[in-house]
Short mmCIF file of all heavy atoms in Angstrom, two decimals:
data_model
loop_
_atom_site.label_atom_id
_atom_site.label_comp_id
_atom_site.label_asym_id
_atom_site.label_seq_id
_atom_site.Cartn_x
_atom_site.Cartn_y
_atom_site.Cartn_z
N MET A 1 8.99 5.66 -17.66
CA MET A 1 9.95 5.64 -16.57
C MET A 1 9.33 6.20 -15.29
O MET A 1 9.50 5.63 -14.23
CB MET A 1 11.19 6.44 -16.99
CG MET A 1 12.25 6.53 -15.93
SD MET A 1 12.91 4.90 -15.59
CE MET A 1 14.06 5.29 -14.32
N LYS A 2 8.60 7.32 -15.42
CA LYS A 2 7.98 7.90 -14.24
C LYS A 2 6.92 6.98 -13.65
O LYS A 2 6.76 6.92 -12.45
CB LYS A 2 7.34 9.25 -14.59
CG LYS A 2 8.33 10.36 -14.81
CD LYS A 2 7.62 11.66 -15.08
CE LYS A 2 8.61 12.76 -15.34
NZ LYS A 2 7.96 14.04 -15.59
N ALA A 3 6.21 6.26 -14.52
CA ALA A 3 5.17 5.34 -14.04
C ALA A 3 5.80 4.21 -13.23
O ALA A 3 5.27 3.84 -12.18
CB ALA A 3 4.37 4.79 -15.21
N LYS A 4 6.90 3.67 -13.71
CA LYS A 4 7.56 2.59 -12.98
C LYS A 4 8.07 3.06 -11.64
O LYS A 4 7.97 2.34 -10.65
CB LYS A 4 8.71 2.02 -13.81
CG LYS A 4 8.27 1.22 -15.00
CD LYS A 4 9.46 0.67 -15.74
CE LYS A 4 9.02 -0.09 -16.97
NZ LYS A 4 10.14 -0.62 -17.73
N LEU A 5 8.59 4.27 -11.60
CA LEU A 5 9.08 4.83 -10.34
C LEU A 5 7.93 5.04 -9.36
O LEU A 5 8.05 4.72 -8.18
CB LEU A 5 9.80 6.15 -10.61
CG LEU A 5 10.45 6.83 -9.42
CD1 LEU A 5 11.53 5.94 -8.82
CD2 LEU A 5 11.03 8.17 -9.83
N GLY A 6 6.81 5.55 -9.85
CA GLY A 6 5.65 5.76 -9.00
C GLY A 6 5.07 4.47 -8.46
O GLY A 6 4.74 4.36 -7.28
N VAL A 7 4.95 3.47 -9.31
CA VAL A 7 4.43 2.17 -8.88
C VAL A 7 5.40 1.54 -7.88
O VAL A 7 4.96 0.96 -6.87
CB VAL A 7 4.18 1.24 -10.08
CG1 VAL A 7 3.89 -0.18 -9.64
CG2 VAL A 7 3.03 1.78 -10.93
N SER A 8 6.68 1.66 -8.13
CA SER A 8 7.67 1.11 -7.19
C SER A 8 7.57 1.79 -5.83
O SER A 8 7.64 1.12 -4.79
CB SER A 8 9.09 1.29 -7.74
OG SER A 8 9.23 0.61 -8.96
N ALA A 9 7.38 3.10 -5.83
CA ALA A 9 7.23 3.82 -4.57
C ALA A 9 5.98 3.38 -3.83
O ALA A 9 6.00 3.21 -2.61
CB ALA A 9 7.20 5.32 -4.83
N LEU A 10 4.88 3.19 -4.55
CA LEU A 10 3.64 2.74 -3.91
C LEU A 10 3.77 1.33 -3.34
O LEU A 10 3.27 1.04 -2.25
CB LEU A 10 2.47 2.80 -4.90
CG LEU A 10 1.97 4.19 -5.24
CD1 LEU A 10 0.93 4.13 -6.35
CD2 LEU A 10 1.39 4.87 -4.01
N VAL A 11 4.48 0.47 -4.06
CA VAL A 11 4.69 -0.89 -3.55
C VAL A 11 5.56 -0.85 -2.29
O VAL A 11 5.27 -1.55 -1.30
CB VAL A 11 5.33 -1.79 -4.64
CG1 VAL A 11 5.82 -3.11 -4.06
CG2 VAL A 11 4.32 -2.04 -5.75
N LEU A 12 6.60 -0.03 -2.30
CA LEU A 12 7.44 0.09 -1.11
C LEU A 12 6.67 0.67 0.07
O LEU A 12 6.84 0.23 1.22
CB LEU A 12 8.67 0.94 -1.40
CG LEU A 12 9.74 0.28 -2.26
CD1 LEU A 12 10.85 1.27 -2.59
CD2 LEU A 12 10.30 -0.94 -1.58
N LEU A 13 5.82 1.66 -0.19
CA LEU A 13 4.97 2.21 0.88
C LEU A 13 4.02 1.15 1.43
O LEU A 13 3.81 1.06 2.64
CB LEU A 13 4.17 3.40 0.36
CG LEU A 13 4.88 4.73 0.34
CD1 LEU A 13 4.04 5.77 -0.38
CD2 LEU A 13 5.18 5.20 1.74
N PHE A 14 3.45 0.35 0.55
CA PHE A 14 2.55 -0.72 0.98
C PHE A 14 3.29 -1.72 1.87
O PHE A 14 2.80 -2.09 2.94
CB PHE A 14 1.94 -1.42 -0.23
CG PHE A 14 1.03 -2.55 0.11
CD1 PHE A 14 -0.20 -2.31 0.72
CD2 PHE A 14 1.39 -3.85 -0.15
CE1 PHE A 14 -1.04 -3.35 1.04
CE2 PHE A 14 0.57 -4.91 0.17
CZ PHE A 14 -0.66 -4.65 0.77
N LEU A 15 4.47 -2.14 1.43
CA LEU A 15 5.25 -3.09 2.22
C LEU A 15 5.70 -2.48 3.54
O LEU A 15 5.72 -3.16 4.58
CB LEU A 15 6.45 -3.58 1.41
CG LEU A 15 6.10 -4.44 0.19
CD1 LEU A 15 7.36 -4.75 -0.60
CD2 LEU A 15 5.38 -5.70 0.60
N GLY A 16 6.06 -1.19 3.52
CA GLY A 16 6.43 -0.51 4.76
C GLY A 16 5.27 -0.44 5.73
O GLY A 16 5.44 -0.62 6.94
N GLY A 17 4.07 -0.18 5.21
CA GLY A 17 2.88 -0.16 6.07
C GLY A 17 2.61 -1.52 6.68
O GLY A 17 2.27 -1.64 7.86
N LEU A 18 2.75 -2.58 5.86
CA LEU A 18 2.57 -3.93 6.40
C LEU A 18 3.61 -4.24 7.47
O LEU A 18 3.29 -4.90 8.48
CB LEU A 18 2.64 -4.96 5.27
CG LEU A 18 1.48 -4.96 4.29
CD1 LEU A 18 1.68 -6.05 3.25
CD2 LEU A 18 0.15 -5.13 4.99
N TRP A 19 4.84 -3.78 7.27
CA TRP A 19 5.87 -4.00 8.27
C TRP A 19 5.52 -3.30 9.57
O TRP A 19 5.69 -3.85 10.67
CB TRP A 19 7.24 -3.58 7.79
CG TRP A 19 8.23 -3.57 8.91
CD1 TRP A 19 8.82 -2.50 9.48
CD2 TRP A 19 8.69 -4.71 9.65
NE1 TRP A 19 9.63 -2.90 10.51
CE2 TRP A 19 9.56 -4.25 10.66
CE3 TRP A 19 8.44 -6.08 9.57
CZ2 TRP A 19 10.19 -5.10 11.55
CZ3 TRP A 19 9.06 -6.93 10.46
CH2 TRP A 19 9.92 -6.44 11.44
N LEU A 20 5.03 -2.07 9.48
CA LEU A 20 4.65 -1.35 10.70
C LEU A 20 3.55 -2.08 11.45
O LEU A 20 3.53 -2.09 12.69
CB LEU A 20 4.19 0.08 10.37
CG LEU A 20 5.30 1.08 10.11
CD1 LEU A 20 4.71 2.40 9.67
CD2 LEU A 20 6.16 1.27 11.34
N VAL A 21 2.63 -2.69 10.74
CA VAL A 21 1.57 -3.46 11.40
C VAL A 21 2.15 -4.71 12.07
O VAL A 21 1.75 -5.06 13.18
CB VAL A 21 0.47 -3.83 10.38
CG1 VAL A 21 -0.51 -4.82 10.97
CG2 VAL A 21 -0.26 -2.57 9.92
N ALA A 22 3.09 -5.37 11.42
CA ALA A 22 3.63 -6.62 11.94
C ALA A 22 4.76 -6.43 12.95
O ALA A 22 5.03 -7.32 13.77
CB ALA A 22 4.14 -7.48 10.79
N ALA A 23 5.42 -5.28 12.93
CA ALA A 23 6.63 -5.05 13.73
C ALA A 23 6.45 -5.27 15.23
O ALA A 23 7.31 -5.89 15.86
CB ALA A 23 7.19 -3.66 13.46
N PRO A 24 5.37 -4.78 15.86
CA PRO A 24 5.27 -4.98 17.31
C PRO A 24 5.31 -6.46 17.71
O PRO A 24 5.82 -6.81 18.77
CB PRO A 24 3.92 -4.36 17.66
CG PRO A 24 3.60 -3.43 16.56
CD PRO A 24 4.26 -3.99 15.34
N PHE A 25 4.79 -7.30 16.85
CA PHE A 25 4.72 -8.72 17.17
C PHE A 25 5.98 -9.45 16.71
O PHE A 25 6.45 -10.37 17.37
CB PHE A 25 3.47 -9.33 16.52
CG PHE A 25 2.24 -8.50 16.82
CD1 PHE A 25 1.71 -7.66 15.86
CD2 PHE A 25 1.66 -8.54 18.07
CE1 PHE A 25 0.59 -6.89 16.12
CE2 PHE A 25 0.54 -7.77 18.35
CZ PHE A 25 0.00 -6.94 17.38
N ALA A 26 6.54 -9.03 15.56
CA ALA A 26 7.75 -9.67 15.04
C ALA A 26 8.98 -9.32 15.86
O ALA A 26 9.83 -10.17 16.12
CB ALA A 26 7.96 -9.26 13.58
N VAL A 27 9.08 -8.05 16.28
CA VAL A 27 10.25 -7.60 17.04
C VAL A 27 10.11 -7.98 18.51
O VAL A 27 11.08 -8.24 19.19
CB VAL A 27 10.45 -6.07 16.86
CG1 VAL A 27 11.56 -5.56 17.73
CG2 VAL A 27 10.72 -5.77 15.40
N GLY A 28 8.89 -7.96 19.01
CA GLY A 28 8.65 -8.43 20.37
C GLY A 28 8.47 -7.35 21.41
O GLY A 28 8.59 -7.63 22.60
N TYR A 29 8.18 -6.11 21.02
CA TYR A 29 7.97 -5.11 22.06
C TYR A 29 6.50 -5.04 22.49
O TYR A 29 6.15 -4.26 23.35
CB TYR A 29 8.51 -3.72 21.67
CG TYR A 29 7.91 -3.04 20.48
CD1 TYR A 29 6.73 -2.32 20.58
CD2 TYR A 29 8.56 -3.08 19.26
CE1 TYR A 29 6.20 -1.67 19.49
CE2 TYR A 29 8.04 -2.43 18.17
CZ TYR A 29 6.86 -1.73 18.28
OH TYR A 29 6.35 -1.10 17.20
N GLN A 30 5.66 -5.88 21.90
CA GLN A 30 4.29 -6.04 22.40
C GLN A 30 4.26 -7.34 23.19
O GLN A 30 4.38 -8.42 22.63
CB GLN A 30 3.30 -6.10 21.22
CG GLN A 30 1.90 -6.48 21.62
CD GLN A 30 1.29 -5.53 22.62
OE1 GLN A 30 1.39 -4.33 22.47
NE2 GLN A 30 0.68 -6.05 23.66
N PRO A 31 4.12 -7.24 24.52
CA PRO A 31 4.10 -8.45 25.34
C PRO A 31 2.93 -9.35 24.96
O PRO A 31 1.82 -8.88 24.73
CB PRO A 31 3.93 -7.93 26.77
CG PRO A 31 4.33 -6.50 26.71
CD PRO A 31 4.04 -6.02 25.34
N ARG A 32 3.20 -10.64 24.89
CA ARG A 32 2.18 -11.62 24.51
C ARG A 32 1.11 -11.70 25.59
O ARG A 32 1.42 -11.85 26.77
CB ARG A 32 2.84 -12.98 24.31
CG ARG A 32 1.93 -14.02 23.70
CD ARG A 32 2.69 -15.29 23.43
NE ARG A 32 3.66 -15.08 22.37
CZ ARG A 32 3.55 -15.62 21.16
NH1 ARG A 32 2.53 -16.37 20.88
NH2 ARG A 32 4.47 -15.38 20.26
N GLY A 33 -0.14 -11.58 25.19
CA GLY A 33 -1.25 -11.69 26.11
C GLY A 33 -1.58 -10.44 26.89
O GLY A 33 -2.53 -10.41 27.65
N ALA A 34 -0.79 -9.39 26.74
CA ALA A 34 -1.03 -8.15 27.47
C ALA A 34 -1.83 -7.18 26.60
O ALA A 34 -1.96 -7.37 25.39
CB ALA A 34 0.31 -7.50 27.84
N GLY A 35 -2.36 -6.15 27.23
CA GLY A 35 -3.04 -5.11 26.47
C GLY A 35 -2.04 -4.39 25.58
O GLY A 35 -0.84 -4.36 25.85
N TYR A 36 -2.55 -3.81 24.53
CA TYR A 36 -1.66 -3.13 23.59
C TYR A 36 -1.01 -1.92 24.24
O TYR A 36 -1.68 -1.09 24.83
CB TYR A 36 -2.42 -2.69 22.35
CG TYR A 36 -2.77 -3.80 21.39
CD1 TYR A 36 -3.63 -3.59 20.35
CD2 TYR A 36 -2.22 -5.07 21.53
CE1 TYR A 36 -3.96 -4.60 19.47
CE2 TYR A 36 -2.53 -6.08 20.66
CZ TYR A 36 -3.40 -5.85 19.62
OH TYR A 36 -3.71 -6.84 18.75
N VAL A 37 0.31 -1.83 24.08
CA VAL A 37 1.03 -0.65 24.55
C VAL A 37 0.84 0.47 23.53
O VAL A 37 0.43 0.24 22.39
CB VAL A 37 2.54 -0.97 24.78
CG1 VAL A 37 2.71 -2.00 25.87
CG2 VAL A 37 3.19 -1.44 23.51
N ASP A 38 1.16 1.69 23.93
CA ASP A 38 0.94 2.85 23.05
C ASP A 38 1.70 2.73 21.73
O ASP A 38 1.19 3.12 20.67
CB ASP A 38 1.34 4.14 23.76
CG ASP A 38 0.38 4.51 24.87
OD1 ASP A 38 -0.77 4.01 24.85
OD2 ASP A 38 0.77 5.29 25.75
N ALA A 39 2.90 2.20 21.76
CA ALA A 39 3.69 2.06 20.53
C ALA A 39 3.02 1.08 19.57
O ALA A 39 3.05 1.29 18.34
CB ALA A 39 5.10 1.58 20.86
N THR A 40 2.42 0.04 20.08
CA THR A 40 1.73 -0.92 19.23
C THR A 40 0.51 -0.28 18.58
O THR A 40 0.28 -0.44 17.38
CB THR A 40 1.30 -2.16 20.05
OG1 THR A 40 2.46 -2.77 20.59
CG2 THR A 40 0.57 -3.16 19.18
N VAL A 41 -0.27 0.45 19.36
CA VAL A 41 -1.45 1.12 18.82
C VAL A 41 -1.03 2.11 17.73
O VAL A 41 -1.66 2.18 16.66
CB VAL A 41 -2.23 1.83 19.94
CG1 VAL A 41 -3.36 2.67 19.38
CG2 VAL A 41 -2.76 0.82 20.94
N ASN A 42 0.03 2.85 17.98
CA ASN A 42 0.54 3.80 16.99
C ASN A 42 0.96 3.09 15.71
O ASN A 42 0.61 3.52 14.61
CB ASN A 42 1.71 4.59 17.58
CG ASN A 42 2.20 5.67 16.65
OD1 ASN A 42 1.40 6.37 16.04
ND2 ASN A 42 3.51 5.77 16.53
N ASP A 43 1.71 2.01 15.84
CA ASP A 43 2.16 1.27 14.66
C ASP A 43 0.98 0.68 13.89
O ASP A 43 0.98 0.67 12.66
CB ASP A 43 3.12 0.15 15.06
CG ASP A 43 4.53 0.65 15.27
OD1 ASP A 43 4.77 1.85 15.06
OD2 ASP A 43 5.39 -0.17 15.64
N LEU A 44 0.00 0.17 14.59
CA LEU A 44 -1.16 -0.41 13.92
C LEU A 44 -1.94 0.64 13.13
O LEU A 44 -2.31 0.41 11.98
CB LEU A 44 -2.07 -1.12 14.92
CG LEU A 44 -1.51 -2.38 15.56
CD1 LEU A 44 -2.46 -2.92 16.61
CD2 LEU A 44 -1.24 -3.45 14.51
N TRP A 45 -2.20 1.79 13.74
CA TRP A 45 -2.95 2.84 13.04
C TRP A 45 -2.15 3.43 11.89
O TRP A 45 -2.67 3.59 10.78
CB TRP A 45 -3.36 3.95 14.01
CG TRP A 45 -4.60 3.62 14.77
CD1 TRP A 45 -4.69 3.25 16.07
CD2 TRP A 45 -5.93 3.60 14.26
NE1 TRP A 45 -6.00 3.01 16.40
CE2 TRP A 45 -6.78 3.22 15.31
CE3 TRP A 45 -6.49 3.87 13.02
CZ2 TRP A 45 -8.15 3.09 15.15
CZ3 TRP A 45 -7.87 3.74 12.87
CH2 TRP A 45 -8.68 3.36 13.92
N LEU A 46 -0.91 3.78 12.14
CA LEU A 46 -0.10 4.40 11.10
C LEU A 46 0.21 3.42 9.97
O LEU A 46 0.04 3.73 8.79
CB LEU A 46 1.20 4.95 11.69
CG LEU A 46 2.08 5.74 10.74
CD1 LEU A 46 1.36 6.99 10.25
CD2 LEU A 46 3.37 6.11 11.43
N GLY A 47 0.64 2.22 10.33
CA GLY A 47 0.96 1.22 9.31
C GLY A 47 -0.26 0.80 8.52
O GLY A 47 -0.20 0.65 7.29
N GLY A 48 -1.39 0.63 9.20
CA GLY A 48 -2.62 0.28 8.50
C GLY A 48 -3.06 1.37 7.55
O GLY A 48 -3.48 1.10 6.42
N SER A 49 -2.95 2.61 7.99
CA SER A 49 -3.34 3.74 7.13
C SER A 49 -2.44 3.83 5.91
O SER A 49 -2.93 4.03 4.78
CB SER A 49 -3.26 5.05 7.91
OG SER A 49 -4.14 5.03 9.00
N ILE A 50 -1.15 3.70 6.11
CA ILE A 50 -0.21 3.76 4.98
C ILE A 50 -0.47 2.62 4.01
O ILE A 50 -0.50 2.82 2.79
CB ILE A 50 1.25 3.74 5.48
CG1 ILE A 50 1.58 5.04 6.20
CG2 ILE A 50 2.23 3.49 4.33
CD1 ILE A 50 2.92 5.03 6.90
N ALA A 51 -0.67 1.41 4.54
CA ALA A 51 -0.90 0.25 3.68
C ALA A 51 -2.20 0.41 2.88
O ALA A 51 -2.24 0.14 1.68
CB ALA A 51 -0.93 -1.03 4.51
N VAL A 52 -3.26 0.87 3.53
CA VAL A 52 -4.55 1.02 2.84
C VAL A 52 -4.46 2.12 1.77
O VAL A 52 -4.91 1.91 0.64
CB VAL A 52 -5.67 1.32 3.86
CG1 VAL A 52 -6.93 1.80 3.17
CG2 VAL A 52 -5.97 0.09 4.69
N LEU A 53 -3.88 3.25 2.11
CA LEU A 53 -3.79 4.35 1.14
C LEU A 53 -2.93 3.96 -0.07
O LEU A 53 -3.28 4.27 -1.21
CB LEU A 53 -3.23 5.60 1.80
CG LEU A 53 -4.20 6.33 2.72
CD1 LEU A 53 -3.49 7.47 3.44
CD2 LEU A 53 -5.39 6.86 1.95
N SER A 54 -1.82 3.29 0.17
CA SER A 54 -0.97 2.90 -0.95
C SER A 54 -1.64 1.81 -1.79
O SER A 54 -1.54 1.82 -3.03
CB SER A 54 0.40 2.45 -0.47
OG SER A 54 0.29 1.35 0.39
N PHE A 55 -2.37 0.90 -1.15
CA PHE A 55 -3.08 -0.15 -1.90
C PHE A 55 -4.18 0.47 -2.76
O PHE A 55 -4.33 0.11 -3.94
CB PHE A 55 -3.65 -1.20 -0.95
CG PHE A 55 -4.33 -2.33 -1.67
CD1 PHE A 55 -3.59 -3.31 -2.31
CD2 PHE A 55 -5.72 -2.40 -1.72
CE1 PHE A 55 -4.21 -4.34 -2.98
CE2 PHE A 55 -6.35 -3.43 -2.39
CZ PHE A 55 -5.59 -4.41 -3.03
N VAL A 56 -4.94 1.39 -2.20
CA VAL A 56 -5.99 2.06 -2.97
C VAL A 56 -5.37 2.82 -4.14
O VAL A 56 -5.90 2.81 -5.25
CB VAL A 56 -6.82 3.00 -2.06
CG1 VAL A 56 -7.70 3.92 -2.86
CG2 VAL A 56 -7.65 2.18 -1.08
N SER A 57 -4.25 3.47 -3.91
CA SER A 57 -3.57 4.19 -4.99
C SER A 57 -3.11 3.24 -6.09
O SER A 57 -3.21 3.56 -7.28
CB SER A 57 -2.37 4.96 -4.44
OG SER A 57 -2.78 5.93 -3.53
N LEU A 58 -2.61 2.07 -5.72
CA LEU A 58 -2.21 1.08 -6.71
C LEU A 58 -3.41 0.60 -7.52
O LEU A 58 -3.32 0.42 -8.74
CB LEU A 58 -1.53 -0.11 -6.04
CG LEU A 58 -0.08 0.10 -5.64
CD1 LEU A 58 0.39 -1.04 -4.73
CD2 LEU A 58 0.81 0.19 -6.87
N VAL A 59 -4.54 0.38 -6.87
CA VAL A 59 -5.74 -0.07 -7.58
C VAL A 59 -6.23 1.02 -8.54
O VAL A 59 -6.59 0.73 -9.68
CB VAL A 59 -6.85 -0.47 -6.57
CG1 VAL A 59 -8.18 -0.67 -7.26
CG2 VAL A 59 -6.44 -1.72 -5.81
N VAL A 60 -6.22 2.27 -8.09
CA VAL A 60 -6.64 3.37 -8.96
C VAL A 60 -5.69 3.48 -10.15
O VAL A 60 -6.14 3.67 -11.29
CB VAL A 60 -6.70 4.69 -8.17
CG1 VAL A 60 -6.84 5.89 -9.09
CG2 VAL A 60 -7.83 4.65 -7.17
N TYR A 61 -4.40 3.35 -9.93
CA TYR A 61 -3.43 3.42 -11.02
C TYR A 61 -3.66 2.27 -12.01
O TYR A 61 -3.64 2.48 -13.22
CB TYR A 61 -2.00 3.36 -10.48
CG TYR A 61 -0.99 3.35 -11.59
CD1 TYR A 61 -0.64 4.53 -12.23
CD2 TYR A 61 -0.42 2.17 -12.03
CE1 TYR A 61 0.27 4.53 -13.27
CE2 TYR A 61 0.48 2.16 -13.07
CZ TYR A 61 0.82 3.33 -13.69
OH TYR A 61 1.71 3.31 -14.72
N ALA A 62 -3.88 1.05 -11.49
CA ALA A 62 -4.11 -0.10 -12.37
C ALA A 62 -5.40 0.08 -13.19
O ALA A 62 -5.43 -0.23 -14.38
CB ALA A 62 -4.18 -1.38 -11.54
N ALA A 63 -6.45 0.60 -12.55
CA ALA A 63 -7.70 0.84 -13.27
C ALA A 63 -7.50 1.89 -14.37
O ALA A 63 -8.02 1.74 -15.48
CB ALA A 63 -8.78 1.29 -12.29
N ASP A 64 -6.75 2.92 -14.07
CA ASP A 64 -6.48 3.95 -15.07
C ASP A 64 -5.65 3.38 -16.22
O ASP A 64 -5.90 3.70 -17.39
CB ASP A 64 -5.77 5.14 -14.42
CG ASP A 64 -5.61 6.29 -15.38
OD1 ASP A 64 -6.63 6.69 -15.99
OD2 ASP A 64 -4.48 6.81 -15.50
N ALA A 65 -4.68 2.55 -15.91
CA ALA A 65 -3.86 1.94 -16.95
C ALA A 65 -4.70 1.02 -17.84
O ALA A 65 -4.56 1.02 -19.07
CB ALA A 65 -2.70 1.16 -16.33
N LEU A 66 -5.61 0.24 -17.23
CA LEU A 66 -6.48 -0.63 -18.02
C LEU A 66 -7.43 0.19 -18.88
O LEU A 66 -7.72 -0.16 -20.03
CB LEU A 66 -7.27 -1.56 -17.09
CG LEU A 66 -6.47 -2.70 -16.47
CD1 LEU A 66 -7.32 -3.46 -15.47
CD2 LEU A 66 -5.96 -3.64 -17.55
N ARG A 67 -7.94 1.30 -18.34
CA ARG A 67 -8.82 2.16 -19.11
C ARG A 67 -8.08 2.75 -20.31
O ARG A 67 -8.62 2.82 -21.41
CB ARG A 67 -9.35 3.28 -18.21
CG ARG A 67 -10.44 4.12 -18.84
CD ARG A 67 -10.97 5.20 -17.91
NE ARG A 67 -11.33 4.68 -16.59
CZ ARG A 67 -10.75 5.07 -15.45
NH1 ARG A 67 -9.79 5.98 -15.45
NH2 ARG A 67 -11.13 4.57 -14.30
N GLU A 68 -6.84 3.13 -20.10
CA GLU A 68 -6.03 3.68 -21.18
C GLU A 68 -5.75 2.61 -22.25
O GLU A 68 -5.82 2.90 -23.45
CB GLU A 68 -4.71 4.23 -20.63
CG GLU A 68 -3.77 4.79 -21.66
CD GLU A 68 -4.31 6.03 -22.36
OE1 GLU A 68 -5.20 6.70 -21.80
OE2 GLU A 68 -3.86 6.32 -23.49
N LEU A 69 -5.46 1.39 -21.83
CA LEU A 69 -5.23 0.31 -22.79
C LEU A 69 -6.50 0.01 -23.58
O LEU A 69 -6.45 -0.24 -24.79
CB LEU A 69 -4.74 -0.94 -22.06
CG LEU A 69 -3.31 -0.92 -21.57
CD1 LEU A 69 -3.01 -2.16 -20.74
CD2 LEU A 69 -2.34 -0.81 -22.73
N ALA A 70 -7.63 0.00 -22.91
CA ALA A 70 -8.89 -0.25 -23.61
C ALA A 70 -9.19 0.87 -24.60
O ALA A 70 -9.68 0.61 -25.71
CB ALA A 70 -10.02 -0.38 -22.60
N ARG A 71 -8.92 2.10 -24.22
CA ARG A 71 -9.14 3.22 -25.13
C ARG A 71 -8.24 3.13 -26.35
O ARG A 71 -8.69 3.33 -27.48
CB ARG A 71 -8.87 4.55 -24.41
CG ARG A 71 -9.26 5.77 -25.22
CD ARG A 71 -8.88 7.06 -24.53
NE ARG A 71 -7.42 7.21 -24.36
CZ ARG A 71 -6.59 7.62 -25.33
NH1 ARG A 71 -7.06 7.87 -26.53
NH2 ARG A 71 -5.30 7.73 -25.10
N ARG A 72 -7.02 2.76 -26.15
CA ARG A 72 -6.09 2.59 -27.29
C ARG A 72 -6.53 1.46 -28.19
O ARG A 72 -6.41 1.54 -29.41
CB ARG A 72 -4.67 2.34 -26.80
CG ARG A 72 -4.00 3.55 -26.22
CD ARG A 72 -2.59 3.21 -25.81
NE ARG A 72 -1.98 4.32 -25.11
CZ ARG A 72 -0.77 4.29 -24.62
NH1 ARG A 72 -0.03 3.20 -24.74
NH2 ARG A 72 -0.28 5.33 -23.98
N GLY A 73 -7.03 0.39 -27.61
CA GLY A 73 -7.48 -0.76 -28.40
C GLY A 73 -8.68 -0.41 -29.27
O GLY A 73 -8.79 -0.87 -30.40
N LYS A 74 -9.59 0.40 -28.77
CA LYS A 74 -10.77 0.79 -29.55
C LYS A 74 -10.38 1.65 -30.73
O LYS A 74 -10.95 1.56 -31.80
CB LYS A 74 -11.77 1.51 -28.66
CG LYS A 74 -12.47 0.59 -27.69
CD LYS A 74 -13.49 1.34 -26.85
CE LYS A 74 -14.13 0.38 -25.88
NZ LYS A 74 -15.06 1.05 -24.98
N HIS A 75 -9.38 2.52 -30.57
CA HIS A 75 -8.94 3.37 -31.66
C HIS A 75 -8.21 2.56 -32.73
O HIS A 75 -8.28 2.90 -33.90
CB HIS A 75 -8.03 4.49 -31.15
CG HIS A 75 -8.78 5.56 -30.42
ND1 HIS A 75 -9.49 6.52 -31.07
CD2 HIS A 75 -8.95 5.79 -29.10
CE1 HIS A 75 -10.06 7.31 -30.18
NE2 HIS A 75 -9.74 6.89 -28.97
N ALA A 76 -7.53 1.51 -32.33
CA ALA A 76 -6.79 0.70 -33.30
C ALA A 76 -7.75 -0.09 -34.19
O ALA A 76 -7.47 -0.30 -35.37
CB ALA A 76 -5.84 -0.25 -32.58
N ASP A 77 -8.87 -0.55 -33.66
CA ASP A 77 -9.84 -1.33 -34.42
C ASP A 77 -10.66 -0.45 -35.37
O ASP A 77 -11.13 -0.90 -36.40
CB ASP A 77 -10.81 -2.07 -33.50
CG ASP A 77 -10.10 -3.17 -32.72
OD1 ASP A 77 -9.03 -3.62 -33.18
OD2 ASP A 77 -10.60 -3.56 -31.65
N ALA A 78 -10.85 0.80 -35.04
CA ALA A 78 -11.72 1.68 -35.84
C ALA A 78 -11.07 2.14 -37.07
O ALA A 78 -10.51 2.02 -37.91
CB ALA A 78 -12.09 2.92 -35.04
#
């Protein structure tokens, strides 16, 4: 149960980070063709950081889960 909750939280963080990256362009507060406003730069850095950290955490969790499954499989065959 705790694992599902943690993975769900990481997925939501990843999606939230992607939204922060896309929001300036989707909502329209970044003028087309103009230099990036401060809010856009902030959203890009913060959203990108959140998305990258949550994605890396998901990959580490998946690798650990696969390692655990492989370890259990070796014990079952022996």
Side-chain angles (χ1 to χ4, degrees):
M1 179 65 182
K2 287 183 181 180
K4 289 181 182 179
L5 183 62
V7 170
S8 299
L10 287 173
V11 168
L12 287 175
L13 277 171
F14 179 69
L15 293 174
L18 291 181
W19 169 249
L20 281 175
V21 170
F25 311 103
V27 175
Y29 63 83
Q30 171 59 45
R32 190 175 292 250
Y36 286 169
V37 297
D38 290 339
T40 300
V41 173
N42 185 43
D43 279 358
L44 292 176
W45 278 106
L46 185 63
S49 298
I50 290 172
V52 167
L53 286 174
S54 60
F55 183 76
V56 168
S57 297
L58 281 168
V59 169
V60 168
Y61 177 80
D64 187 51
L66 286 174
R67 189 178 310 118
E68 178 65 22
L69 286 174
R71 188 184 64 80
R72 287 182 187 178
K74 288 182 181 176
H75 286 282
D77 292 338

